[in-house]
């Protein structure tokens, strides 16, 4: 079964607003990653957060990790039309960090 | 720098046919993996390799074979195609070989089995 589960499945917001997506996972992890996929293309890596980190920033992206709740969130601030894409979290497992498992993703649509 | 190259981009097979999806990377990455993506299912790991000569099963390995004779190439073989294998297949590689390294993805192979 899949490790990560994103929430919501789909999200539509107005351009300029902030978008928040959540990821919950089942087993203890070493690392959690977020990826973006534009329609029909390969995934692009956004940010990696390690299990001993609580927050990371990259440009307009902010990722938090709560290992006690086995959850992570991705915040995109000041959204743009180009942010329209699917977003996936991916995790390894504490004792199997060579196996990287993806969730089902959140489809984000930025309305003009 | 080409990155991860997948061929072909599109393929149509009849049930029972076999074929090999090619994946090559020119970044000298040790770790390579194959995923399939179906609507509403996200990406599911088929097989992966942490280095030449080493392969292991992912979440959905049945019906697929892999080998890793060189660092650069990681072909995925469908032995006897079934309609359930209709999907988009992505190959990925990373330098670190573990979850602490970002994956680099190819652009995918869209496979239809009739």
């Amino acid at each position: 079964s899949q490790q990560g589960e994103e929430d919501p499945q789909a999200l539509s917001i107005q351009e300029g607003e902030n978008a928040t997506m959540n990821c919950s996972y089942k087993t203890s992890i070493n690392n959690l990653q977020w990826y973006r996929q534009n329609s029909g293309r390969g995934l692009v890596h956004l940010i990696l957060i390690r299990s001993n980190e609580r927050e990371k920033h990259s440009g307009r992206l902010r990722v938090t990790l709560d290992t006690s709740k086995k959850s992570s969130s991705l915040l995109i601030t000041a959204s743009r039309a180009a942010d329209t894409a699917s977003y996936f979290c991916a995790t390894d497992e504490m004792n199997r960090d060579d196996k990287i498992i993806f969730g089902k993703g959140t489809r984000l649509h930025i309305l003009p | 720098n080409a990155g991860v190259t997948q061929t072909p981009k599109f393929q149509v097979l009849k049930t029972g046919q076999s074929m090999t999806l090619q994946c090559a990377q020119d970044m000298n990455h040790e770790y390579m993996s194959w995923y399939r993506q179906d609507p509403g299912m996200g990406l599911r790991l088929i097989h992966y390799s942490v280095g030449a000569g080493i392969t292991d099963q992912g979440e959905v390995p049945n019906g697929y074979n892999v080998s890793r004779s060189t660092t650069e190439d990681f072909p995925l073989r469908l032995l006897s195609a079934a309609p359930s294998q209709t999907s988009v297949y992505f190959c990925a590689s990373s330098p670190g070989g573990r979850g602490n390294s970002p994956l680099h993805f190819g652009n995918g192979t869209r496979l239809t089995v009739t």
Side-chain angles (χ1 to χ4, degrees):
Chain A
S1 63
Q2 287 177 283
Q3 165 79 307
E5 192 81 21
E6 288 88 343
D7 171 60
Q9 291 186 351
L11 178 63
S12 292
I13 61 172
Q14 294 293 137
E15 193 167 11
E17 293 181 338
N18 296 341
T20 299
M21 289 156 269
N22 302 297
C23 169
S24 58
Y25 55 91
K26 298 173 185 171
T27 65
S28 297
I29 61 171
N30 294 307
N31 306 279
L32 185 144
Q33 304 182 47
W34 284 93
Y35 288 81
R36 183 186 74 230
Q37 182 182 36
N38 291 97
S39 181
R41 304 298 300 271
L43 279 71
V44 174
H45 179 261
L46 295 176
I47 201 162
L48 182 151
I49 187 165
R50 304 185 197 287
S51 60
N52 61 354
E53 297 175 312
R54 292 296 167 258
E55 189 170 310
K56 264 189 120 166
H57 297 253
S58 176
R60 293 184 296 113
L61 306 180
R62 173 178 160 242
V63 167
T64 61
L65 178 64
D66 187 336
T67 53
S68 67
K69 295 182 179 177
K70 292 187 171 60
S71 68
S72 172
S73 67
L74 170 67
L75 168 68
I76 304 174
T77 60
S79 62
R80 304 167 182 170
D83 295 327
T84 293
S86 291
Y87 292 82
F88 296 88
C89 68
T91 56
D92 56 15
E93 292 183 22
M94 186 67 74
N95 298 317
R96 288 301 307 271
D97 63 356
D98 53 358
K99 218 171 178 178
I100 303 165
I101 305 297
F102 282 78
K104 296 181 181 180
T106 292
R107 292 189 312 279
L108 175 64
H109 185 55
I110 307 301
L111 303 167
Chain B
N1 211 355
V4 179
T5 302
Q6 291 185 238
T7 56
K9 287 185 169 54
F10 301 93
Q11 183 70 50
V12 178
L13 290 178
K14 293 189 189 314
T15 297
Q17 287 184 319
S18 62
M19 81 157 294
T20 299
L21 280 63
Q22 301 292 344
C23 176
Q25 53 92 8
D26 60 0
M27 298 173 282
N28 202 31
H29 287 174
E30 289 295 323
Y31 184 92
M32 297 185 76
S33 55
W34 277 102
Y35 293 87
R36 60 177 288 174
Q37 184 175 31
D38 303 294
M41 294 297 294
L43 278 77
R44 290 182 291 171
L45 180 64
I46 305 172
H47 287 286
Y48 63 99
S49 168
V50 298
I54 306 168
T55 63
D56 208 343
Q57 295 183 348
E59 302 171 278
V60 289
N62 292 341
Y64 307 95
N65 275 2
V66 292
S67 59
R68 185 93 182 271
S69 55
T70 66
T71 299
E72 294 77 20
D73 300 298
F74 191 41
L76 178 72
R77 295 185 191 84
L78 281 71
L79 304 175
S80 178
S84 60
Q85 293 178 305
T86 293
S87 188
V88 181
Y89 291 84
F90 288 100
C91 179
S93 71
S94 77
R98 297 291 185 262
N100 60 1
S101 294
L103 289 168
H104 299 250
F105 280 84
N107 283 328
T109 294
R110 190 172 297 271
L111 175 68
T112 302
V113 182
T114 61

